[in-house]
Every structure is written in structure tokens, then in C-alpha cells.
Amino acid sequence: MSGVIAIKTNEDLNKKLFYSLSSIQHRGQDSAGVTLSDGKTLRRTKGMGLVSEVFKDIDLDNHNYKFGIGHVRCSPQGCNNDYNIEPLVSFSKGHEFSLAHDGNLTNYDLLKERLENEGISFHTHTDSELILLLIARYFDGDIVSAIRKTMEVIEGAYSCVVAMPDKIIAFRDYHGIRPLMLGEDKDNIVLASENSAIEILDIENYRDIRPGEIIIIDKDGINSNISDKEISSKHCIFESIYISRPDANIENVNSYMFRRRCGELLYRQAPVEADLICPVPDSGTPSAIGFAQESGIPFAEGLVKNRYMGRSFIKPSQKERDLAVRLKLSPQKSVVSGKRIVLVDDSIVRGTTSAKLIKRMRKAGAKEVHFRVTSPPFMYPCYYGVDTPDRKKLIAANLDIEEIRKQIGADSLEFINLDSMLKLVENPDNYCKACFTGDYPVKKDEI
């Protein structure tokens, strides 16, 4: 997962980039970076760590910059290296380009091998470099044409922002898999992965960038280039389930209300007798509230969260995820001891986290631990930017529900029904559900 930002403003660009990037920190905690433009040249600052750590090297009161892009990154296992940090920079034909990307190309390996056979060398392990290389290769003075030609070659999920000295550009893949938004007021134009990065600047006027759309922002304002290609929208349903902030409004779906209503639906589908409903915080909290309200069973914080720990799902290795869970979540013995507990979580991917939480709840004295999951079973890997493992490591791809229940140690286990969940969104056919169904909108190319 990643998050992208692009801003054109009359003043305080550095501060606004800092505020906006910080508001989407949940989309990536391994590294961050920005590229700034003064109208003549680009300056990049990047580093490992959180936005607040990287911005220590930036003068927030510098008023020379008017354009800028930013990126926060969650690295796949084995790719958490300095040379992979975005935004990336390229120089071609007397022009500077910088790119930040959220998503994943499904034909990256194929294209990379083809280009290497032509004598091209790569300096990173990220598919973002390939996108930037193609844009620079196709550029002949018309950036829209260069991006459109690139979009005809690359496949998969990509929501990108590009900086040039005199403009910023954004484009989204033809399925609109990963989110990208445009917001503006009289002083600012902002492109961002989520509306929180726009609203933090007191901008209330925003919209989703259309699949296949290219946005150009320069001294003259905003210009939109709509593709005449037939569009088949396949927005990522996991954005609403887990990835996005609860206050995200993506494709007319509010993440908090979606998650809360999933909890309501799940209780109707799988009622249980219990003393307390406890969320696995934070992503499970809205669903647990809905489950508790629908059931009439009291809601309680049975797990205390260390607010200084990041999201355990997006740690690059299983060892780091296990340690993060222990550091992040601690059972409250005074709350759960002697009680029948329902733990509500957004998903089960590998099953290891769920098993450890249930074991710790029992050690804290819970009489029963029932597990309710407000997403369907995660049975297929994602190729579009969510770093999930291959099928052999997905617990639901290898075990049925009763076998999963035994393995994680729950007294009962239920997942929300996919058809029921999809009733909560407009036009369910416009969503990618491949992680649950295996029906991929864009196939992964193999060399």
C-alpha cells in the first residue's frame, strides 16, 4: 500500500504537504518523500521512516515552492531499501520528471525483462520506475500524450502523480482500482489518495478522479483529459473494508458507515450469546459498534491499543507483524475476565494474528472467545497493491471455516457473506472482489 499527494498552492507548500501526507500516514509507514518545484527545477527529499521524521530535513517556512508531490510507502517484504523510496526522479531530453505511485503493475516483470533486453538498466526494485521510464521515453513536449502512451503499455493498478518544474499531473488506471481524488479552493489544488489529505487543508470541494482520466495542473489551473476508451470500473472493495481511514469517502462510500453496517449485517447473519462485544482496534472498531448496536450486547474495549505503534498488517515480515501485535494490543483483564467475548475484526489473512489475540484473551481470563469477521474469507492474493501472500499462506484458501476456527482457537467463527456486504455499495459490479472470488479484472502476466 501507498499514498500519494500533489499540491499547487499560493503559499506554505511545505507545510501543506506535511499536513496532507501525515493525514494518509496509515497507507504506508516504511518511508516518505516529497519533490518540490520552484517553477524552474525540482528538489527531492526522501527517507526511511514516518512523515514527521523525513520532514525534519525540510524548511517548512520556505516560500519559494509552488508545486509539490509526496508519497508514503509500505514496502513488500525484501524491498524496504533506500533506493526504492518515492517520489522517483528522472531526467530526459532536457526535462525533469518526478513520480509517486500507488498500486501495482501486473505486467511489470514482462515489461522489465523486455526493456532490459533492449539495454535499459533499472536502479530500483519498484514498478514505479518503469512507469517513470516510459513517460520520459515517450515525452516529446506533450506530457498528456506521453502518459497516454504509457497507459496503453502498462497493466494493473496505478494512481500516480507526476511533478515537472512547471506543472503537476495525475492519472488513474482504466479500472480505477486504487483511489485518487481532486480537490480545490481559490488558493489550492490538491490531488490525493484520500479526502482526509484534502480536508486537512480546509477544502471541502473534491471529487474522485475518473478511471483513465489524466489531470494537468499548471499556472492556468486545471485541465482534464478523459479517455475515449471503454471503461470498466473495478474499485478495490478492500479500501472500504480496511485500508482507508474511517472518514474516507471513496466512490460515494463512507468507510465508517460501511464498516458499521457490516457489523450490523454480521450479527443478523450470525447471532451469538455473549457478555461483551470487543473490537480489534482500530479497523475493527466501527464494525464492532454496529454489531453491538444491532445485538444489544454491550460494547467494551477489551483490547488496549498502543497508539504509537503502526498497522501490523502492513509490516513487511511475519516476525515483525507478530511483534507489532504484541506491542500494539494488550487485553484488559479487568474487562474480559470471566466474560463471554465476541472479538470483531475486519479480516483474517494468514490467521496468525487472530490466533495470538484469542490466546491472549483466554490468558486474561475470557470465558469464551467468539470471532466475527466483517469481510468474506480472503482466498486469493491481491496483485494490485495490497501486499498479501500467495495462496499457500492464506488460511482461508487452505482450510474451511470450521478448520480455521480450530486453528485460531475460537469458540465460534463467522465471516460476513459477500453478497450481503455488496448490498452496502452502489453498483457492486464496479468493484474488484478478486481477493474473495479469484475473478481478477486484470490478469497477472508471467514471464
Side-chain angles (χ1 to χ4, degrees):
M1 303 191 310
S2 297
V4 299
I5 295 289
I7 298 177
K8 174 185 179 292
T9 186
N10 295 326
E11 60 181 5
D12 295 330
L13 173 67
N14 295 3
K15 289 182 179 179
K16 290 172 181 177
L17 277 171
F18 173 74
Y19 299 146
S20 290
L21 269 183
S22 297
S23 73
I24 56 169
Q25 184 75 84
H26 59 284
R27 298 187 70 88
Q29 299 161 2
D30 291 337
S31 63
V34 296
T35 298
L36 308 171
S37 172
D38 60 5
K40 296 178 180 179
T41 189
L42 301 180
R43 176 204 167 189
R44 178 178 58 166
T45 300
K46 62 187 180 72
M48 307 294 288
L50 302 177
V51 174
S52 58
E53 296 168 323
V54 173
F55 264 78
K56 286 189 296 187
D57 297 326
I58 296 177
D59 179 6
L60 292 180
D61 292 318
N62 189 318
H63 300 294
N64 294 326
Y65 301 105
K66 303 302 179 185
F67 296 99
I69 65 173
H71 189 262
V72 290
R73 184 169 191 261
C74 164
S75 304
Q77 187 171 351
C79 295
N80 195 17
N81 301 303
D82 178 80
Y83 51 75
N84 289 327
I85 300 174
E86 299 180 36
L88 304 178
V89 174
S90 178
F91 305 88
S92 178
K93 304 167 189 174
H95 295 274
E96 293 178 286
F97 307 86
S98 184
L99 177 140
H101 165 218
D102 175 28
N104 194 58
L105 300 186
T106 56
N107 63 343
Y108 167 67
D109 292 334
L110 195 67
L111 290 176
K112 183 171 183 280
E113 182 185 61
R114 186 180 303 163
L115 290 169
E116 286 176 331
N117 289 337
E118 295 177 8
I120 302 297
S121 61
F122 287 80
H123 305 285
T124 75
H125 291 148
T126 171
D127 52 358
S128 306
E129 182 182 11
L130 189 144
I131 300 173
L132 182 57
L133 185 154
L134 290 173
I135 292 173
R137 168 183 277 198
Y138 292 133
F139 182 73
D140 60 1
D142 185 344
I143 188 62
V144 174
S145 175
I147 290 174
R148 192 62 74 190
K149 288 177 181 177
T150 300
M151 293 173 70
E152 295 303 318
V153 175
I154 60 177
E155 298 175 355
Y158 50 91
S159 288
C160 300
V161 292
V162 176
M164 296 179 69
D166 62 341
K167 62 177 67 71
I168 49 178
I169 309 100
F171 58 100
R172 195 177 181 197
D173 68 78
Y174 290 109
H175 292 289
I177 297 174
R178 303 253 69 83
L180 193 60
M181 296 181 173
L182 168 66
E184 62 175 315
D185 61 14
K186 63 183 180 65
D187 297 316
N188 309 280
I189 303 173
V190 184
L191 299 148
S193 294
E194 294 184 29
N195 51 283
S196 59
I198 299 172
E199 292 176 335
I200 194 68
L201 304 181
D202 290 327
I203 300 171
E204 300 296 330
N205 178 34
Y206 58 85
R207 68 168 177 87
D208 295 291
I209 292 176
R210 302 176 187 89
E213 184 178 8
I214 301 173
I215 298 286
I216 306 92
I217 299 168
D218 56 21
K219 61 182 177 60
D220 298 321
I222 303 172
N223 182 43
S224 171
N225 183 283
I226 305 295
S227 172
D228 57 6
K229 186 174 181 177
E230 185 177 349
I231 300 298
S232 174
S233 296
K234 292 295 177 183
H235 313 305
C236 175
I237 193 68
F238 204 57
E239 287 280 350
S240 296
I241 292 170
Y242 171 81
I243 298 174
S244 62
R245 268 180 34 163
D247 58 346
N249 297 312
I250 300 173
E251 305 298 340
N252 297 319
V253 176
N254 176 263
S255 294
Y256 176 87
M257 293 304 297
F258 177 90
R259 294 167 190 172
R260 199 195 79 180
R261 294 182 65 194
C262 279
E264 295 172 359
L265 288 176
L266 188 52
Y267 176 76
R268 293 178 213 155
Q269 175 189 319
V272 60
E273 291 187 6
D275 301 309
L276 296 174
I277 309 299
C278 299
V280 178
D282 282 322
S283 52
T285 300
S287 297
I289 291 171
F291 196 99
Q293 290 176 337
E294 187 68 17
S295 66
I297 301 170
F299 174 93
E301 292 189 8
L303 289 165
V304 175
K305 182 177 180 180
N306 178 349
R307 299 293 171 184
Y308 298 95
M309 289 299 300
R311 300 178 87 164
S312 58
F313 175 81
I314 59 176
K315 296 294 179 183
S317 70
Q318 186 60 51
K319 185 176 181 180
E320 287 177 288
R321 283 188 291 270
D322 291 345
L323 178 60
V325 170
R326 291 198 301 272
L327 290 171
K328 184 175 72 171
L329 298 173
S330 299
Q332 288 210 75
K333 187 173 182 179
S334 60
V335 173
V336 305
S337 182
K339 300 292 196 304
R340 297 170 298 171
I341 304 298
V342 178
L343 278 180
V344 181
D345 203 357
D346 59 87
S347 60
I348 296 179
V349 180
R350 302 164 185 84
T352 53
T353 297
S354 306
K356 291 179 186 300
L357 285 177
I358 291 169
K359 183 177 180 180
R360 294 179 71 197
M361 293 293 276
R362 293 195 189 282
K363 188 175 180 180
K367 188 177 178 181
E368 296 176 7
V369 182
H370 303 270
F371 214 83
R372 294 294 181 268
V373 186
T374 51
S375 72
F378 220 120
M379 299 185 67
Y380 299 89
C382 175
Y383 300 132
Y384 308 127
V386 181
D387 186 27
T388 52
D390 57 39
R391 289 204 76 195
K392 65 183 179 182
K393 294 182 180 178
L394 292 171
I395 192 170
N398 299 282
L399 304 176
D400 63 27
I401 293 179
E402 176 59 18
E403 290 170 331
I404 297 172
R405 182 196 69 78
K406 291 179 180 178
Q407 183 151 317
I408 67 174
D411 288 283
S412 70
L413 169 67
E414 292 288 346
F415 295 83
I416 197 170
N417 177 273
L418 176 60
D419 290 336
S420 297
M421 184 186 72
L422 291 176
K423 291 177 182 177
L424 302 179
V425 300
E426 298 178 16
N427 303 315
D429 290 341
N430 287 354
Y431 285 84
C432 174
K433 292 89 66 176
C435 51
F436 310 130
T437 66
D439 183 14
Y440 293 100
V442 184
K443 300 297 183 183
K444 181 175 174 60
D445 286 354
E446 304 292 344
I447 296 178

